[in-house]
Amino acid sequence: MDKSIFAMELCFRLVANSPLGGSLRHAITTHPERTSADQRSQFYRFVTDLLLQHLHLAERGCWDYFDDPSRAQGDFDGWSEMLSTQEGLRTGPSPQDPYRPSNRYLTFTMSMLLVHGTPTDRALAGVCDIREADLWRRSTFARILHGVRSMSFASVVSDVAYLVPGDASWGFTPEDLAQPKFQYLRPLMDG
Amino acid sequence: MNTLPFVRKEFVEAPGIVGAEWWNESVQAPVSRRHLLVGSIIATSVLGATVYVLTRPDPTTFDAKPSLDMQRQFGWDFGATDQSFPEGATGQPFDATLLATLADQLRPSEARHRPYYVPTLFQAPSAIPRGLVGDGSDPGKNLRDVLRPVMTPAMRTAFGTGRGIGSLFADLNRDTLVIVDLPGPESIAFAAGASQSFDPTFLFDNWPHPYGVVKAHQTLAAALTLATEFQNASKTRRGDAPGLLVLDRDRLAPYSESPSQFDNRYVAKLPDAASLRSMGYAHVICVVPQDGDPEADDLNDDFVAYQAANLSTRLLGASAFARDNSVAPRPVDATKRDYDDGGTYAYGGSVHTNPWFWHHYALARAIAPARPAPLFRSPSIGIAPRMSLFSGAGAQVAAGSRIRPPAFATTPVVVDKTDGRILGSKWTRSGSWMRSSGSGSG
């Protein structure tokens, strides 16, 4: 069975009283252990609605779509292994200088492995058909999120979603995100 | 039929991460023929059985291409057209009119040195890409628009040190070649300081890149900042000036294949021993950052060969020169020459210990001068063969060629298998050039 892969990661600036982190956490932790394809679709409708509502707070991100069966599984494994390795995560709360407060950030990542060539896969391929100059535009991320929002999960082989951090006090600092390991998250361009 | 086919395979809830992975059991079996035909359309025509099929052949593959070739072909910011350099300006504005002619402006004055001049870096601002990557909708930025002036305290010190060594050689014979191998901007500043006595010959064989592990944009900016100094020195310098080969010590910077790194490294191309002899050189001094630092790995084979050909080859730590604060500073117009602090830099940190340079390096005078000795001993790091990724292990290498590790200075690209066309950098995160392809006839 040939597969395609889609992935998106967004980095949001944390603001006081924002429901973003708490709502994403609630959605992940309360989703049943065994569900239907419709319930998976509902989950992602809820998640993408949240992300779209807060897209103005997203400062960095990346997304992938590859219909290359030779790399799809490997790439998906790369995204999903974060759950087990937790590599690169903060190991404690991020310190805050009371005299020089700075921003804190969270990231949300989702990735899907799709059956190659299905209508869902082809529809997603069309949504992700973006010219190079627009790859990191906020409007491009919005377009793709709308595409994911209307996906049918009947032909999704596997999917993974995770929120980093789970506790807002562990949010990434600007210094964390300046490290080379986060360079793949590129600044979003307005427009 | 299982109405709840999605099962949660993995779940984590921790302060650092909350997430889960689900698995669709209904698609884990081999896909039925009915599913295979979901993506296909079969049609017939009145002329006979024809098939119109939406196929998904894999049209692309990955390959590794020389980084500089890709930059020359598709632009200096290949694969990172939306990125720029993070540093802001730290120096006075440079003369932007020099950008187009920099390679010519900084050419060696002496004809004997010109065959070894490598103008690659200085050609970058005026180069025009030969092709377009992907759908050509994004040609990238003009390098000229993103270069920023650079001036650091380390550059000012290097300029003073260059002046110091230049003054030592001002009135001597011309049989000593000096090689300066400091971080790029400091090598440029050193060369500018020494250009009163030496003919600088630059060997920067790469281009800047937003993710370049070699920060060549800073070296280029330093050259632009100091270009006028080089031009003025060439007009007043004595004819037949000895050569000063200028290298960037960071040219072999660490690199690992990742989206955030571009391999713009290179190896130095030095003249061989026979060429040095033919140019009249009997001695080679290589300036390294600190006393005790070895020469860079890609120079070891050359230096061992020089010694084998009876060319004395010594290392000199730039740190052996320091400003003598007992000497009144020279008047300098800081608004025009912010790289010159007006100081006098001497071997051992004092004009009184300066003559010890000749004793330590046995170039002109072997008699210990009747003056206070420097606080450090005569440099003792010699040249010895050593193994590295750049060693030829004694193998005969063609003149102008250099040993390099596999995949050195290459960048991964996506190639169209049907025609070999380069579609873009492997790290350009998009599916836009991996579209489904369709074919049909009827």
Side-chain angles (χ1 to χ4, degrees), chain A residues 32-52:
Chain A
E33 289 186 35
R34 192 171 266 281
T35 66
S36 66
D38 279 345
Q39 286 173 304
R40 294 305 297 150
S41 295
Q42 288 172 17
F43 170 83
Y44 279 100
R45 278 201 293 276
F46 178 81
V47 163
T48 52
D49 280 347
L50 267 176
L51 299 178
L52 284 164

Side-chain angles (χ1 to χ4, degrees), chain B residues 359-428:
Chain B
H359 176 64
H360 286 170
Y361 283 84
L363 287 172
R365 309 179 184 98
I367 302 173
R371 291 181 182 226
L375 296 179
F376 52 86
R377 295 182 181 181
S378 172
S380 61
I381 298 295
I383 307 296
R386 66 175 187 266
M387 291 302 298
S388 75
L389 294 175
F390 304 91
S391 300
Q396 291 296 316
V397 180
S401 299
R402 289 293 179 270
I403 301 294
R404 305 161 194 239
F408 181 81
T410 64
T411 187
V413 300
V414 181
V415 179
D416 188 326
K417 289 197 289 191
T418 58
D419 59 8
R421 188 168 51 100
I422 294 172
L423 299 176
S425 166
K426 174 183 176 183
W427 304 121
T428 303

Side-chain angles (χ1 to χ4, degrees), chain B residues 107-328:
Chain B
R107 193 176 57 163
S109 302
E110 303 294 322
R112 60 185 171 139
H113 298 146
R114 287 178 194 156
Y116 308 103
Y117 173 44
V118 180
T120 306
L121 177 62
F122 304 149
Q123 295 169 335
S126 58
I128 299 174
R130 296 191 290 270
L132 295 171
V133 69
D135 63 4
S137 60
D138 182 15
K141 298 175 297 301
N142 193 320
L143 178 58
R144 304 179 184 198
D145 296 334
V146 296
L147 285 173
R148 299 289 178 264
V150 61
M151 183 52 58
T152 64
M155 288 175 64
R156 292 189 182 91
T157 300
F159 179 85
T161 303
R163 277 185 57 92
I165 199 167
S167 67
L168 280 169
F169 282 85
D171 299 315
L172 295 179
N173 59 37
R174 302 333 210 175
D175 65 351
T176 299
L177 174 80
V178 174
I179 301 170
V180 58
D181 198 9
L182 303 174
E186 291 159 51
S187 276
I188 293 280
F190 180 101
S195 60
Q196 59 183 303
S197 301
F198 287 90
D199 180 30
T201 303
F202 302 98
L203 282 70
F204 301 126
D205 200 13
N206 68 346
W207 280 15
H209 187 277
Y211 291 139
V213 294
V214 183
K215 305 303 178 188
H217 60 288
Q218 295 179 339
T219 304
L220 181 58
L224 287 161
T225 300
L226 288 155
T228 303
E229 184 78 19
F230 288 117
Q231 291 171 337
N232 292 339
S234 69
K235 296 171 186 173
T236 57
R237 187 167 55 230
R238 241 182 72 169
D240 197 29
L244 171 66
L245 303 185
V246 189
L247 305 178
D248 179 358
R249 194 168 178 88
D250 295 331
R251 63 188 176 277
L252 305 180
Y255 167 80
S256 58
E257 188 173 301
S258 86
S260 62
Q261 294 194 358
F262 184 85
D263 189 357
N264 62 339
R265 300 176 295 172
Y266 61 99
V267 294
K269 300 174 185 174
L270 298 185
D272 59 22
S275 299
L276 291 184
R277 284 285 186 199
S278 70
M279 287 189 277
Y281 293 115
H283 311 281
V284 175
I285 290 179
C286 180
V287 179
V288 294
Q290 302 281 336
D291 187 35
D293 286 341
E295 75 283 8
D297 284 345
D298 61 339
L299 302 182
N300 181 252
D301 277 3
D302 290 304
F303 287 4
V304 169
Y306 292 167
Q307 289 192 139
N310 291 321
L311 290 162
S312 76
T313 308
R314 301 287 301 276
L315 302 178
L316 168 62
S319 57
F321 285 77
R323 179 170 175 162
D324 186 346
N325 292 316
S326 70
V327 178

Side-chain angles (χ1 to χ4, degrees), chain A residues 33 35 40 64 130 158 163, chain B residues 6 8 15 18 22 429 432:
Chain A
E33 289 186 35
T35 66
R40 294 305 297 150
D64 281 333
I130 304 291
S158 186
L163 171 71
Chain B
F6 279 83
R8 193 171 69 188
V18 171
W22 285 271
R429 288 188 172 265
S432 60

Side-chain angles (χ1 to χ4, degrees), chain A residues 1 25 33-35 40 64-67 71 119 122 129-130 156-159 161 163 165-167 183 186, chain B residues 2 4 6 8 13 15-16 18-20 22-25 31 38 56 62 82 260 429-432 434-435:
Chain A
M1 174 175 59
R25 179 189 179 122
E33 289 186 35
R34 192 171 266 281
T35 66
R40 294 305 297 150
D64 281 333
Y65 173 79
F66 293 117
D67 62 359
R71 67 178 289 175
R122 285 185 287 146
D129 186 6
I130 304 291
V156 170
V157 177
S158 186
D159 67 281
L163 171 71
D167 184 328
Q183 289 299 308
R186 299 192 187 179
Chain B
N2 187 353
L4 300 175
F6 279 83
R8 193 171 69 188
E13 185 176 7
V18 171
W22 285 271
W23 199 247
N24 185 354
E25 292 180 334
V31 181
V38 166
R56 291 290 183 113
F62 295 113
D82 63 322
S260 62
R429 288 188 172 265
S430 83
S432 60
M434 298 190 74
R435 305 170 188 161

Side-chain angles (χ1 to χ4, degrees), chain A residues 1-4 69-70 72 114-117 121 157, chain B residues 31 36 56:
Chain A
M1 174 175 59
D2 288 342
K3 301 165 191 171
S4 302
S70 68
L114 303 98
V115 178
H116 198 309
D121 178 42
V157 177
Chain B
V31 181
L36 282 174
R56 291 290 183 113

